[in-house]
Amino acid sequence: MITNQKLFFYCNYLLPKKEWLVAFMMLLFSAHQMSAQDKVISGVVTSAQDKLPLPGVNILIKGTRTVSTTGFDGEYSIKASPNDVLVFSFIGFQNQELTVGNQSKVNAVLGEDTNKLNEVVVIGYGTQKKSDLTGSVSVVNMESAKKTVTYDAAKMLQGQVPGVTVQSSGEPGGFVNVKIRGITSFTNNNPLFVIDGIMVDAPNDFAPGEIESMQVLKDASSAAIYGVRGANGVVIITTKKGKAGKTDVKFKSIVGLQNVTKRWDVTDRLGYQKITSEAERNRDVRAGVPVNIAPGNNPASSSYISNVDTDWQKESMQTGVVQNQALTLAGGAENISYSFNVDYFKNTSYLKTPQDYERLSTNLNLSGKKGKFKYGAKIAYTQSDKEIFNEYNAGQTFISDMLGAVPTMPVYDANRLGGYGGTDNLTQRAISMNPIGYNNLITNNGKRNRFVGDIWGEIEIVKGLKYKLDVSYDRTDWENRKFIPPSDLGWYYITTNDEASLDTETGNELRTFMNNLLTYEISLGKHKIDALAGWIQERRDYHRYNSRGVGYTPGEIPMLQFADARNASEYKFTITGISYISRLNYAYDDRYLLQANFRQDRTSLFSEINNSANFYSFSGGWKISNEKFLHLPMWVSNIKLRGGYGTIGNNTIPQYFFASTVNSFAGYDFNNELAPGTTVIAALDPNVHWEKTTSKNIALELGFFDNDLQFTGEYFIKKVTDMLVSVPLPYSNGAFPASIFTNAGDMQNKGFEFTASYSNHHRKFKYDISANFGTLKNEVTKIGVNGNPLYGAVSKTEVGRSVGELFAWEAIGIFQNAAEVASSPKQTGAAPGDVKFKDVNGDGIITDADRTFQGVSIPKYGFGVNFSGSYENFDFSMFWQGSGGNKVFNAMYRNLMAGQYGNHSTDELNYWTPTNTNTNVPAPVIGDPNGNGRDSNRFIESGDYIRLQTMELGFNIPMKDKFIQKARVYVNGQNLWTITKYTGYDPDFTSDGLLSRGYDAGSFPNPRTISLGVEVNF
């Protein structure tokens, strides 16, 4: 036992008397310092950008485990001593360290983290730091993308990411085409969209304003985890989630005016009558018969039309209106957080028709945590209403009808059934559609209701090992109704009572997914490993019911029960699939990165022997700048080399396309006796299987000046084998059509992609500049067994060339006299004033064999340039976008230069006559016996363009009222200026016929939009 005397002896022995006293005093001082830790430090954390409080910021005493978090108003409190250093950290912001000192109140202002390498991006079934990516993943700048006023998130991708091609139109609610790194299929090239983990074919039912982030997976090493669904690339969309803190209320409203500023130069009444009369005169003179001019165009006739001169572009176009209002509520606590959004969008057409688009969408995201258990849910509902433009014949659009409408036809005519004007076969001889009347008389409406539900839960079984169950439900119900009433729109467009019809279609589609995912993360010294394994089940049920009623009197209620005759049909199918996925990420010392993916897909789309396929990928990265043996300058922040290789599949074929169908009720007449029999309806390949895409890519990433300046250069090769192609069959096989759909095509896409960006947020004037540029070369390497080419509209797809290259005759001049016609290669029906075509094969006669390739229809390059800046309360941005290297067939110009009974381009007024020979415009001839209007280079133009896609000027209103935290007003311009040589309305038109590409037959031009917007945070 140690007594007090012994303790005193030991102390006296160990310490001299003076030193002992000093030690005692130090002990007292230490006790005083320890008592100082009980001091409570409080403060407020705000954002440097908008001065708003930041809830959920972590405050850590450096070197300890003592931590606190800001609450609703960005306020916090923590016990600390004067020597302690407080570390403030929040995702998306730079960390800040502040010493406590003698202060009792420590406020922090956090600046944005401009180092994008620290950004966490969403990848397939997980997340990853951008600096650790080994695959080709492009992160979309959402601040710039959201300045595009649109109903479809796919449109926001245009020009934002290299290697992504976006085509759209000005049709309200029209479809947006997206291609990632070229063409990979003759059946379907649309990428997969994944919204909050839910796979969808297109994002047009979801509000773009609710999007938090977008990533584009462009290569197999990043998209292989999606297997069969990732062959055309993957776009991952994440919507906004709630955060712990007080309820955050945001309101946004934008209203814009739209119009088409460009006009085609078409003839007025006098110009139209002059050209058409000349065409009839030339017809009759060549035929050696008396000249017979249409009475409506002949001044000597009593039926001559002189009181009608309709400018159809002026009469058809108006100022359209686009509006979007959205309300978002977000907040929550540790156990549950939420974000709820209501979004209303309406687009009134810039054409004087009822073809508008209206959508109401809601979205609720929930997430929470209780101990080791995380959970969440998503509920989204969308209701949309689209009035559909009417086509009398396939490909006959409102735009083509409007431009081809003759000026001698009035818009309105009370004497015709329906009240709209039309042409007369005896007076005008013109088969001309009244597009305003046709689209106003016909009711063509499509309604959609879509419900998406998703629920998930994740539990940490042991440290680093987690299991997640995610179940989603996606149902769409639709109803389409098209009623064509009795009407009189002139010759050829008369609808009698017997022809009046009502077509209805109702249907629903249900898609369900169940994801079982197991993840494991572990760090062992310099080694870091995370792994994923999963089992996925999916099912698609489709049901459609069509009905048709024929026979209605004027004014009769357009319901099926009032039709004179009715019929109906029904269609239904189910597709199921099972997938097994796995991924392994390995990192060593933050220098060497490896990733491997594997996925096995099984689907009911193929026969049992071919219904399974395996897909995989490997990729790696080397952070050269982290090597210790390199002594890089301080201004070099990042050097990274990455590359990848992998395979993905594509199964976009119709269901049951491996089983041939027959008609068992087919009879045949043998010696006047009907013999029963069976015949093949369609020949199908029982061995049809997956298309396979293999990609290789290598990239270099550079960062300078703390990554304020960044650059990426990448090269890729994307090969597709076993493409599904329609191969001709001999007619003796008995099938119709005489072709078979089978795996008989190969293709290759390759190109370079570059991105560069610079950020300067170190001064009052902050700005960001970014640019991207991508090239693409497409080549078909195999078609069928014999390599027979495939033809489309003015196109030919041939081995060794690009898909859908324009293929046409080559015009080389105008025949000036009969002697020139006689001495030239034979052209059937040729006469002086006709177009002379080149005899390519030299056989002395102009035939189909003289057509030649006239240029690729797929853009060879595309680019985008973004600039945004802010000074105090003002902000400004602009975005330029474009593409080029491709050719376009201007079919509308061809129609307006045909010299027939439709309206004409003013260029045709310079037509050839014996006294006007210095021209390249042929003499108009009704019937066009020489085929002057055939597919030729006369109508092929450059598709290059540069466009000022958006420009925006905003002002943040200083707010003193705590009720309104932030208010911003802005003016936005879209599609403001286009530099192009293309003579049509818009070089950016939807042209995705797979084989028929770059063919403008009357697409809806993208309008210029001027919008005024306001955003308020409460």
Side-chain angles (χ1 to χ4, degrees):
M1 179 178 180
I2 300 178
T3 63
N4 291 337
Q5 291 84 353
K6 289 183 178 180
L7 179 62
F8 180 79
F9 172 79
Y10 293 151
C11 290
N12 191 52
Y13 175 78
L14 294 173
L15 291 173
K17 200 168 189 181
K18 182 179 178 182
E19 285 77 0
W20 183 89
L21 184 61
V22 171
F24 180 73
M25 295 300 295
M26 290 179 64
L27 180 63
L28 291 176
F29 179 76
S30 176
H32 173 73
Q33 289 293 94
M34 291 177 65
S35 65
Q37 290 185 355
D38 295 330
K39 183 178 180 181
V40 176
I41 306 300
S42 63
V44 179
V45 183
T46 57
S47 167
Q49 184 180 18
D50 52 23
K51 308 299 186 294
L52 294 179
L54 293 174
V57 177
N58 285 328
I59 301 96
L60 172 73
I61 297 179
K62 192 172 184 179
T64 73
R65 295 185 178 182
T66 305
V67 66
S68 181
T69 306
T70 57
F72 299 135
D73 297 316
E75 298 178 351
Y76 76 95
S77 64
I78 192 171
K79 292 181 178 180
S81 69
N83 291 330
D84 284 336
V85 176
L86 303 183
V87 181
F88 299 83
S89 62
F90 192 57
I91 295 176
F93 291 81
Q94 294 177 340
N95 291 355
Q96 187 174 17
E97 297 185 4
L98 296 174
T99 303
V100 173
N102 295 324
Q103 305 172 90
S104 60
K105 191 174 186 65
V106 179
N107 296 328
V109 180
L110 301 187
E112 287 183 275
D113 186 359
T114 57
N115 185 357
K116 300 299 182 181
L117 296 183
N118 293 329
E119 183 179 354
V120 176
V121 300
V122 180
I123 58 175
Y125 303 102
T127 60
Q128 197 170 16
K129 283 181 63 176
K130 187 176 180 181
S131 60
D132 292 339
L133 291 174
T134 55
S136 184
V137 180
S138 292
V139 180
V140 179
N141 182 344
M142 292 308 302
E143 185 177 352
S144 170
K146 285 187 177 181
K147 291 172 183 175
T148 298
V149 181
T150 179
Y151 59 91
D152 194 336
K155 172 69 175 176
M156 296 164 60
L157 289 169
Q158 189 169 35
Q160 299 290 344
V161 175
V164 178
T165 303
V166 179
Q167 293 178 327
S168 61
S169 76
E171 178 186 358
F175 185 70
V176 177
N177 284 319
V178 180
K179 301 289 173 288
I180 298 177
R181 286 185 172 176
I183 306 300
T184 57
S185 176
F186 289 133
T187 56
N188 178 23
N189 289 282
N190 299 318
L192 169 68
F193 289 85
V194 181
I195 302 178
D196 292 332
I198 304 170
M199 298 184 187
V200 298
D201 292 330
N204 54 294
D205 284 325
F206 303 89
E210 187 63 3
I211 296 175
E212 182 76 31
S213 67
M214 293 176 72
Q215 284 78 228
V216 183
L217 314 184
K218 297 187 289 188
D219 67 336
S221 57
S222 59
I225 195 70
Y226 288 105
V228 64
R229 303 299 300 277
N232 300 325
V234 182
V235 180
I236 299 180
I237 297 175
T238 304
T239 59
K240 295 177 181 178
K241 307 295 189 295
K243 299 175 183 177
K246 70 174 184 178
T247 299
D248 185 17
V249 181
K250 297 181 181 179
F251 175 75
K252 178 192 77 173
S253 178
I254 185 168
V255 178
L257 303 179
Q258 296 184 324
N259 57 60
V260 178
T261 57
K262 188 174 183 178
R263 293 290 187 270
W264 277 81
D265 291 327
V266 295
T267 53
D268 59 8
R269 176 183 63 84
L270 291 176
Y272 166 74
Q273 291 174 330
K274 176 182 179 181
I275 294 172
T276 304
S277 297
E278 180 71 9
E280 290 185 311
R281 185 178 295 107
N282 288 333
R283 172 200 60 195
D284 296 338
V285 169
R286 291 189 183 191
V289 299
V291 175
N292 182 12
I293 303 298
N297 300 330
N298 188 353
S301 171
S302 60
S303 300
Y304 178 64
I305 299 174
S306 61
N307 61 341
V308 178
D309 192 359
T310 304
D311 183 341
W312 283 97
Q313 292 181 94
K314 181 179 179 181
E315 295 293 335
S316 298
M317 292 187 176
Q318 63 180 2
T319 299
V321 179
V322 59
Q323 58 175 307
N324 185 204
Q325 287 84 34
L327 179 66
T328 302
L329 292 84
E334 181 181 359
N335 291 338
I336 188 72
S337 61
Y338 65 90
S339 176
F340 177 69
N341 174 264
V342 180
D343 188 282
Y344 174 75
F345 184 94
K346 185 174 182 180
N347 189 186
T348 301
S349 174
Y350 55 71
L351 298 171
K352 294 179 182 178
T353 64
Q355 275 71 27
D356 303 335
Y357 176 73
E358 188 174 19
R359 182 187 66 200
L360 177 66
S361 59
T362 61
N363 184 65
L364 173 64
N365 286 329
L366 300 171
S367 60
K369 180 180 180 182
K370 187 71 173 177
K372 294 184 177 182
F373 183 58
K374 293 182 180 180
Y375 43 85
K378 178 185 181 69
I379 300 174
Y381 176 76
T382 300
Q383 183 182 67
S384 60
D385 189 341
K386 174 176 166 54
E387 297 289 337
I388 304 168
F389 282 95
N390 301 291
E391 296 184 359
Y392 189 84
N393 294 311
Q396 185 177 337
T397 70
F398 184 102
I399 301 299
S400 62
D401 289 337
M402 175 187 69
L403 293 176
V406 298
T408 57
M409 175 175 61
V411 178
Y412 305 100
D413 186 348
N415 296 319
R416 293 184 182 273
L417 180 61
Y420 290 93
T423 57
D424 182 73
N425 60 326
L426 298 177
T427 305
Q428 293 149 304
R429 301 174 186 169
I431 301 175
S432 186
M433 168 65 80
N434 181 333
I436 297 176
Y438 191 66
N439 281 278
N440 277 279
L441 288 171
I442 295 175
T443 302
N444 194 352
N445 175 264
K447 296 181 182 293
R448 282 169 61 91
N449 295 307
R450 187 169 188 174
F451 174 82
V452 175
D454 179 73
I455 186 169
W456 61 270
E458 181 184 84
I459 187 169
E460 187 173 18
I461 303 171
V462 295
K463 185 178 180 180
L465 180 63
K466 300 176 182 179
Y467 167 73
K468 182 178 181 179
L469 174 64
D470 190 335
V471 179
S472 63
Y473 176 98
D474 182 0
R475 180 182 175 113
T476 303
D477 294 88
W478 67 86
E479 178 186 10
N480 298 325
R481 295 178 66 88
K482 182 177 182 181
F483 178 63
I484 304 177
S487 61
D488 178 5
L489 289 173
W491 181 36
Y492 193 71
Y493 297 111
I494 295 176
T495 303
T496 65
N497 292 357
D498 293 338
E499 295 171 329
S501 62
L502 172 64
D503 289 277
T504 67
E505 176 183 292
T506 58
N508 62 76
E509 182 177 13
L510 173 61
R511 291 188 173 186
T512 57
F513 291 87
M514 184 172 70
N515 301 334
N516 294 272
L517 305 175
L518 199 64
T519 58
Y520 183 65
E521 297 183 11
I522 187 173
S523 295
L524 301 171
K526 296 182 178 181
H527 305 273
K528 184 179 179 181
I529 300 172
D530 68 79
L532 164 73
W535 170 46
I536 298 170
Q537 287 181 288
E538 61 178 296
R539 180 185 174 101
R540 178 187 176 194
D541 293 285
Y542 180 94
H543 186 197
R544 185 184 72 229
Y545 183 84
N546 295 85
S547 57
R548 179 176 175 83
V550 179
Y552 291 90
T553 58
E556 191 168 10
I557 299 174
M559 300 290 287
L560 285 172
Q561 62 263 39
F562 299 114
D564 295 337
R566 294 173 292 274
N567 61 67
S569 63
E570 189 176 19
Y571 183 64
K572 190 175 184 179
F573 67 79
T574 297
I575 300 173
T576 59
I578 297 177
S579 302
Y580 302 93
I581 66 173
S582 62
R583 177 173 58 218
L584 178 66
N585 281 317
Y586 170 75
Y588 176 73
D589 196 24
D590 199 27
R591 288 183 291 161
Y592 310 116
L593 308 169
L594 291 174
Q595 184 183 94
N597 291 280
F598 174 80
R599 175 161 174 152
Q600 182 183 86
D601 282 307
R602 296 184 180 181
T603 178
S604 61
L605 284 169
F606 299 117
S607 63
E608 187 175 351
I609 194 174
N610 293 315
N611 70 353
S612 177
N614 298 325
F615 309 106
Y616 61 90
S617 71
F618 302 96
S619 59
W622 179 22
K623 295 183 179 180
I624 301 175
S625 54
N626 287 357
E627 290 289 357
K628 296 178 177 59
F629 63 84
L630 289 177
H631 302 285
L632 298 172
M634 291 293 294
W635 50 270
V636 178
S637 311
N638 176 55
I639 303 176
K640 177 183 170 184
L641 184 67
R642 59 174 171 82
Y645 172 88
T647 64
I648 322 178
N650 192 348
N651 67 347
T652 52
I653 66 169
Q655 59 285 348
Y656 316 126
F657 227 59
F658 57 86
S660 297
T661 55
V662 297
N663 180 3
S664 58
F665 299 99
Y668 195 82
D669 186 358
F670 284 102
N671 297 325
N672 296 322
E673 290 187 9
L674 183 64
T678 299
T679 185
V680 176
I681 296 176
L684 299 175
D685 182 3
N687 294 316
V688 66
H689 53 272
W690 313 73
E691 296 179 339
K692 182 180 178 181
T693 300
T694 302
S695 72
K696 307 172 187 176
N697 56 279
I698 187 169
L700 178 66
E701 299 177 2
L702 302 174
F704 308 100
F705 310 112
D706 291 330
N707 290 308
D708 284 346
L709 176 62
Q710 297 185 42
F711 172 83
T712 300
E714 185 164 357
Y715 175 71
F716 71 90
I717 300 177
K718 191 175 181 180
K719 295 182 178 180
V720 191
T721 57
D722 292 339
M723 294 175 64
L724 294 165
V725 181
S726 182
V727 177
L729 291 173
Y731 288 100
S732 59
N733 78 88
F736 182 81
S739 60
I740 189 169
F741 204 59
T742 187
N743 300 90
D746 295 347
M747 189 184 299
Q748 176 178 274
N749 298 278
K750 60 182 179 180
F752 291 92
E753 295 174 357
F754 304 97
T755 61
S757 64
Y758 179 70
S759 298
N760 190 332
H761 289 201
H762 308 299
R763 297 179 178 86
K764 281 190 174 182
F765 175 60
K766 302 176 177 64
Y767 61 90
D768 296 274
I769 304 173
S770 63
N772 67 79
F773 181 85
T775 69
L776 178 66
K777 182 179 180 181
N778 173 269
E779 181 183 353
V780 178
T781 55
K782 178 185 176 183
I783 301 176
V785 178
N786 301 317
N788 295 327
L790 303 173
Y791 293 90
V794 200
S795 73
K796 181 180 181 181
T797 298
E798 181 179 274
V799 172
R801 307 192 74 98
S802 174
V803 172
E805 276 198 50
L806 296 183
F807 189 69
W809 284 272
E810 189 170 338
I812 56 175
I814 301 291
F815 288 116
Q816 298 298 325
N817 49 58
E820 187 178 357
V821 174
S823 62
S824 299
K826 183 180 179 180
Q827 287 183 206
T828 303
D834 282 330
V835 177
K836 181 194 300 184
F837 295 101
K838 185 177 181 179
D839 182 15
V840 174
N841 62 1
D843 64 356
I845 184 171
I846 304 300
T847 64
D848 285 352
D850 293 306
R851 290 181 293 175
T852 59
F853 288 100
Q854 300 290 333
V856 298
S857 56
I858 301 174
K860 293 181 180 179
Y861 61 86
F863 60 89
V865 179
N866 265 306
F867 172 83
S868 62
S870 64
Y871 182 79
E872 294 186 344
N873 292 323
F874 289 93
D875 60 86
F876 171 78
S877 67
M878 63 178 176
F879 169 47
W880 293 82
Q881 174 267 330
S883 65
N886 60 304
K887 296 294 183 179
V888 174
F889 188 85
N890 194 339
M892 276 311 310
Y893 186 64
R894 189 257 301 276
N895 296 342
L896 294 172
M897 294 293 289
Q900 303 301 300
Y901 286 111
N903 203 11
H904 317 287
S905 167
T906 54
D907 290 349
E908 198 167 5
L909 290 169
N910 189 30
Y911 56 79
W912 184 93
T913 67
T915 57
N916 182 39
T917 58
N918 187 24
T919 178
N920 61 355
V921 181
V925 185
I926 295 297
D928 192 14
N930 182 58
N932 293 325
R934 72 180 73 182
D935 301 337
S936 73
N937 61 344
R938 293 179 60 210
F939 316 111
I940 294 176
E941 304 179 30
S942 170
D944 300 4
Y945 74 92
I946 302 173
R947 171 168 289 169
L948 179 53
Q949 192 68 258
T950 60
M951 180 182 288
E952 187 171 292
L953 176 64
F955 177 70
N956 289 306
I957 304 174
M959 304 303 300
K960 296 182 179 180
D961 189 349
K962 289 186 177 181
F963 178 71
I964 300 178
Q965 293 184 340
K966 178 182 178 182
R968 177 176 179 264
V969 293
Y970 59 95
V971 60
N972 177 287
Q974 190 167 317
N975 192 14
L976 294 174
W977 184 34
T978 303
I979 304 172
T980 183
K981 293 182 179 179
Y982 183 59
T983 59
Y985 274 127
D986 191 352
D988 175 26
F989 60 89
T990 303
S991 174
D992 186 31
L994 299 179
L995 297 178
S996 302
R997 311 186 64 82
Y999 186 86
D1000 187 0
S1003 61
F1004 293 85
N1006 289 286
R1008 177 177 296 172
T1009 305
I1010 305 297
S1011 306
L1012 182 65
V1014 59
E1015 297 174 352
V1016 182
N1017 290 14
F1018 298 96

